[in-house]
Amino acid sequence: MTSRNNVQNTHIRAQFRKLHVAVLDIVAVINRPQGDEALIKEAGIPLDRALFPLLVGIERFGPIGVVELADRVGRDYTTVSRQVAKLESLDLIARQASVADRRVREAVIAPKGKIMTDAVDAARERIGSAIFEAWDVHDIDELVRLMRKFADALKGDLPPVLD
């Protein structure tokens, strides 16, 4: 069994750089402001681009505190706090006391915000369908399965290997 593990470890080391570069390429595309602008335009929603990832993050991961949201989007806590207040003033999100810690106020999606994120999801599907148009269904299923497995492993107690 040891020789099989050595072969597998050698293979992983050989592929790791390719994986790292692919992840960096994906992150770079996702972080481009043009992508958010295209989604906002395709969704037909009146939302400032700076608020866009916060609204989506609150819908996906809420209820969520400002500190965790700031970590997720890679922005300063104070900036995110002001932007969350703006989303609240637009009635796109609501703030509530955390169930776990009443001192913490968490953001949750409001009905008006959910309408926007539903429009964004539909726009993302329309735009993204072109990427997978020529892909085999099995390949798409495997990509989704393996990406989830990879994301779960990264979120675990492992050291951050892709920073």
Side-chain angles (χ1 to χ4, degrees):
M1 189 67 136
T2 302
S3 94
R4 180 165 191 233
N5 285 341
N6 287 340
V7 170
Q8 184 174 0
N9 289 341
T10 300
H11 182 71
I12 291 169
R13 281 194 298 273
Q15 293 292 80
F16 192 77
R17 183 168 179 83
K18 291 177 186 176
L19 175 62
H20 186 234
V21 171
V23 169
L24 290 176
D25 285 345
I26 292 167
V27 169
V29 169
I30 289 170
N31 285 338
R32 286 185 190 143
Q34 299 90 337
D36 288 351
E37 290 169 3
L39 272 173
I40 290 167
K41 183 178 179 182
E42 177 69 22
I45 59 172
L47 187 64
D48 182 277
R49 189 185 58 76
L51 301 176
F52 174 76
L54 301 175
L55 181 66
V56 171
I58 291 166
E59 192 271 332
R60 293 295 188 269
F61 305 111
I64 187 169
V66 172
V67 172
E68 183 182 349
L69 184 60
D71 278 349
R72 283 188 170 274
V73 297
R75 294 187 193 163
D76 178 69
Y77 162 84
T78 57
T79 301
V80 171
S81 181
R82 283 191 305 276
Q83 292 169 328
V84 166
K86 177 67 173 170
L87 288 169
E88 186 175 23
S89 75
L90 295 170
D91 295 324
L92 299 175
I93 62 115
R95 305 287 298 275
Q96 65 185 30
S98 167
V99 173
D101 183 348
R102 292 282 189 210
R103 297 171 296 174
V104 175
R105 291 189 30 90
E106 295 176 323
V108 294
I109 198 75
K112 187 176 170 184
K114 181 68 171 130
I115 290 168
M116 279 192 177
T117 59
D118 286 349
V120 168
D121 287 344
R124 183 179 289 112
E125 188 175 325
R126 288 189 300 274
I127 291 170
S129 65
I131 294 169
F132 297 109
E133 195 172 66
W135 284 46
D136 180 80
V137 171
H138 174 75
D139 289 344
I140 295 168
D141 291 345
E142 280 299 287
L143 175 67
V144 171
R145 183 183 70 79
L146 293 171
M147 289 295 289
R148 181 73 268 158
K149 183 177 181 178
F150 184 57
D152 289 343
L154 285 177
K155 287 180 3 182
D157 292 330
L158 301 175
V161 295
L162 293 177
D163 288 355

